Amino acid sequence: MFLSTQRQSAKAETALRLQKFKPTRPIYLALFIALGGAVFYFIIANAKLLQSERAQQHQLIEMTNAFTKAYAQERANSGVVPAAFRRIGMEHFGREVGQSSRSREVPVYIRMPGVPGLELETVEQNRQILNYIRAMANSSLPRGKEETRLEQGKVIARKIVPSLASTQTCVSCHNEALGYQAYAPGDVMGAFVIETDLTKPVVQNAYFSLGAFFVILFAALLVVGRENQRMQSAVDALKGRVEAESYAKFLASHDSLTDLPNRKLFLRRLNADVAAFHKGECENVLAVLIDVDDFKTINDTLGHDAGDAVLKKIAISLRAVFDRYGGIAARLGGDEFAGVLKVCPGGLLPDDLGSELLDELCLPFGFKGASIQASASIGVAGLDHLADTGPMQLLKAADIALYASKRGGKRCARVFDRELRKKFGRLSGLTSALPDAIRNGGVRAILQPQVDVATHQLVGFEALARWTHEGQVISPAEFIPIAEEIGLIGQLDLAVLQHAIVLSQRLMETANHEFRLSVNVSAKDFKTDAFVVQIKRVLHTSGFDPRLLTLEI
């Protein structure tokens, strides 16, 4: 079985729908998770480290101030603490803080430069820090600051806290040393500058983060790999489901044997092309009906495999022709095919299309070592030859052309022309008038005598349907097929039966003798139980003896 362009389009659509479900490669997702985890660990670890160092820096300042204050209270006379003593206390507590951090070996440096540069005889070498201390001294609300910087390849956590002139004795001592009135109580005389070298613990945290990266990467590869397999299984299941749905959708509008559009899709295209004709988008619309000649004989003599091969070969040929002109070919069922296409100005003529189709369809082909010569009857109709340019009228015209083609000896193509249009007009008129004729008693019965050839005696009658329309007697061979086609054959048979019973009863009353009555009915009447009920109702109402009635199929 070959694939049609529609089925290929359905598969392409399925592939596009499944692209968004394509599983991510495990290595990329695992690397992303591991990198994120390592960075997160590095940030949190360093944040905790910095928080701890800030607390220790604050503790160092508090310890230094407490030590100096306690010593000053011991010197009750003046309360002045020598600068060298303060320096000794700062160095002592700085060493203690460093020793408490021995496991990390974090160096801690503390100094207390003054504004002019004489506080504790310490001169600040860092111009940026010195400018900041001077800015604090000139501010009415001095504030310290904390910063973490990368200086000379080291990670430095720095804390700067203003040193205020708390007592008059402290102010007098400094003013005397400077030789002028530089300070007053509450002024900024300098600052505590505490620096902690965090290079080594930060590097250690980087190593730990690298180790965490590989641990998380290994774990993520295991988890992501497992999830990827689960997702792949889900995608495969979804893919199978979508493909099944797409194929089911394809089968709903296409023939399973030939992959041609089915009747439903063909009628949809026919309606669309006729609508385009009415909008002036094309010059004409051609409808084609094709019937394989002697298809039953092929099945009976060569087998159903050969019959299927013939249908596939015809489908290929039809698709090639109609694709060439932008139309579609369809299989309506059994050995019946159809096609429809729009014709642009100066485009394809109906006669040319019929000839081209006939040439394509009647080419011999090989099947299991044998050559099969298939043939077809073709009917072509165009909207430009119709008074009523509806899709069903166009299809009916093509059907009339196909019927004429078969009556012409098969293996030929017939175009719906003026002669067939006249016949089509008569057929349309009869189709429109027949329902009223059945309801109003226009279709009546005549009784044809049945005689015993041995005794030459009258034994019964056969009821024959007759219809006179507009003063013209219409042959049953003409109106019976119409009734079957429009679904009124059951009503017609009942109307003929009722009238035949009335006529038969009159004759039996006159002759004082029973006669058998034979009535022709369509085989379609027996497809439902309703017909049997209706026959019983007619017999009950008329009182006719059912033993005298014969129904002929």
Side-chain angles (χ1 to χ4, degrees):
M1 181 183 297
F2 55 87
L3 289 175
S4 67
T5 56
Q6 291 89 349
R7 186 170 175 184
Q8 291 172 344
S9 300
K11 283 199 168 184
E13 180 183 355
T14 301
L16 290 176
R17 290 175 61 185
L18 288 173
Q19 278 183 354
K20 59 184 179 181
F21 296 108
K22 185 177 181 181
T24 307
R25 291 186 177 180
I27 184 64
Y28 296 141
L29 184 57
L31 283 173
F32 177 78
I33 294 175
L35 182 61
V39 171
F40 180 76
Y41 173 83
F42 184 76
I43 293 174
I44 294 299
N46 286 324
K48 290 292 183 181
L49 172 67
L50 188 60
Q51 182 181 10
S52 174
E53 294 306 322
R54 294 298 184 199
Q56 288 191 357
Q57 288 176 347
H58 180 74
Q59 182 182 10
L60 181 58
I61 294 173
E62 293 295 328
M63 291 169 60
T64 302
N65 284 333
F67 172 75
T68 304
K69 184 177 180 180
Y71 183 76
Q73 289 177 353
E74 292 294 329
R75 294 169 57 90
N77 295 332
S78 62
V80 178
V81 180
F85 183 80
R86 182 182 292 271
R87 187 184 311 115
I88 291 172
M90 293 168 56
E91 292 176 354
H92 171 74
F93 291 119
R95 283 195 302 272
E96 285 190 354
V97 171
Q99 290 175 359
S100 66
S101 304
R102 187 175 302 167
S103 60
R104 291 174 290 136
E105 298 182 8
V106 178
V108 180
Y109 307 98
I110 182 170
R111 59 185 182 274
M112 191 174 180
V115 174
L118 298 177
E119 182 68 51
L120 296 182
E121 299 179 0
T122 302
V123 178
E124 180 59 46
Q125 301 298 326
N126 190 316
R127 177 63 60 181
Q128 184 178 3
I129 296 176
L130 182 60
N131 290 336
Y132 183 76
I133 294 174
R134 288 173 176 172
M136 286 194 301
N138 295 328
S139 174
S140 58
L141 295 174
R143 297 179 180 178
K145 75 171 183 176
E146 297 176 346
E147 61 180 3
T148 304
R149 302 172 62 88
L150 183 64
E151 296 180 353
Q152 298 179 354
K154 297 181 179 180
V155 180
I156 303 298
R158 181 179 292 118
K159 186 179 182 71
I160 303 175
V161 180
S163 175
L164 303 178
S166 57
T167 63
Q168 181 62 46
T169 55
C170 180
V171 170
S172 300
C173 180
H174 283 80
N175 289 339
E176 183 180 350
L178 293 173
Y180 65 94
Q181 297 296 320
Y183 300 115
D187 288 347
V188 175
M189 302 176 64
F192 289 99
V193 180
I194 305 176
E195 296 177 344
T196 305
D197 186 358
L198 299 179
T199 305
K200 191 168 185 177
V202 169
V203 172
Q204 288 178 345
N205 288 338
Y207 283 127
F208 289 146
S209 298
L210 183 61
F213 170 81
F214 287 108
V215 171
I216 297 174
L217 178 62
F218 178 74
L221 282 174
L222 293 178
V223 174
V224 173
R226 184 185 64 185
E227 290 300 312
N228 197 68
Q229 290 179 354
R230 187 180 65 83
M231 185 178 295
Q232 184 64 55
S233 299
V235 170
D236 291 341
L238 179 62
K239 183 177 180 181
R241 178 179 175 182
V242 172
E243 287 182 347
E245 290 177 354
S246 299
Y247 187 57
K249 183 179 179 181
F250 173 82
L251 290 181
S253 58
H254 289 74
D255 174 59
S256 59
L257 177 65
T258 63
D259 281 348
L260 286 179
N262 59 16
R263 181 184 297 271
K264 180 180 178 181
L265 187 57
F266 169 74
L267 292 178
R268 188 186 308 167
R269 174 61 182 270
L270 176 67
N271 290 330
D273 287 355
V274 171
F277 173 80
H278 290 156
K279 293 177 183 178
E281 298 176 0
C282 59
E283 185 178 68
N284 195 12
V285 175
L286 299 182
V288 181
L289 291 179
I290 303 102
D291 195 39
V292 181
D293 296 333
D294 302 320
F295 183 68
K296 185 176 183 302
T297 303
I298 296 176
N299 277 333
D300 293 341
T301 57
L302 301 178
H304 289 280
D305 289 346
D308 289 345
V310 170
L311 296 178
K312 291 179 181 180
K313 168 62 173 58
I314 290 178
I316 294 173
S317 301
L318 285 177
R319 180 184 287 112
V321 173
F322 281 94
D323 285 352
R324 192 178 306 148
Y325 298 108
I328 67 165
R331 184 187 179 196
L332 304 184
D335 60 342
E336 299 177 2
F337 295 85
V340 61
L341 59 87
K342 293 184 292 186
V343 179
C344 298
L348 188 67
L349 296 176
D351 290 310
D352 296 336
L353 176 60
S355 299
E356 187 171 350
L357 285 172
L358 201 61
D359 293 340
E360 288 284 345
L361 299 179
C362 295
L363 292 175
F365 69 98
F367 175 74
K368 294 183 178 180
S371 179
I372 299 179
Q373 178 72 54
S375 66
S377 298
I378 302 171
V380 185
L383 282 179
D384 56 352
H385 281 82
L386 300 180
D388 186 357
T389 56
M392 292 301 101
Q393 284 72 22
L394 177 60
L395 207 57
K396 188 64 179 179
D399 191 36
I400 293 174
L402 175 61
Y403 180 73
S405 174
K406 287 189 173 186
R407 293 189 63 183
K410 303 180 181 179
R411 195 173 183 176
C412 65
R414 182 68 187 272
V415 177
F416 184 79
D417 52 15
R418 183 175 301 177
E419 178 185 349
L420 291 180
R421 182 172 61 198
K422 182 179 179 180
K423 181 178 180 179
F424 178 57
R426 172 180 170 81
L427 185 61
S428 298
L430 295 178
T431 303
S432 300
L434 184 57
D436 288 336
I438 295 173
R439 284 193 300 268
N440 301 327
V443 178
R444 304 177 64 83
I446 64 170
L447 299 183
Q448 178 174 283
Q450 293 178 335
V451 179
D452 188 335
V453 294
T455 62
H456 301 287
Q457 291 182 351
L458 180 64
V459 294
F461 299 93
E462 179 180 1
L464 302 178
R466 291 294 182 266
W467 178 28
T468 301
H469 175 60
E470 295 181 351
Q472 182 181 7
V473 177
I474 309 301
S475 170
E478 198 170 3
F479 70 81
I480 293 293
I482 295 176
E484 289 183 337
E485 184 176 350
I486 63 178
L488 295 179
I489 188 62
Q491 298 180 28
L492 186 147
D493 288 341
L494 287 174
V496 172
L497 173 62
Q498 289 173 333
H499 190 220
I501 286 176
V502 171
L503 295 179
S504 180
Q505 286 176 330
R506 290 176 185 174
L507 290 173
M508 286 190 292
E509 290 176 0
T510 302
N512 194 23
H513 183 76
E514 290 184 345
F515 297 106
R516 297 192 60 82
L517 177 62
S518 298
V519 180
N520 294 316
V521 295
S522 172
K524 293 184 178 180
D525 293 335
F526 291 92
K527 290 185 178 180
T528 63
D529 295 334
F531 184 71
V532 178
V533 175
Q534 291 167 344
I535 292 292
K536 292 173 63 177
R537 184 181 298 115
V538 171
L539 294 174
H540 178 73
T541 302
S542 63
F544 191 80
D545 187 353
R547 294 175 300 176
L548 300 177
L549 178 63
T550 300
L551 299 179
E552 297 183 358
I553 301 175

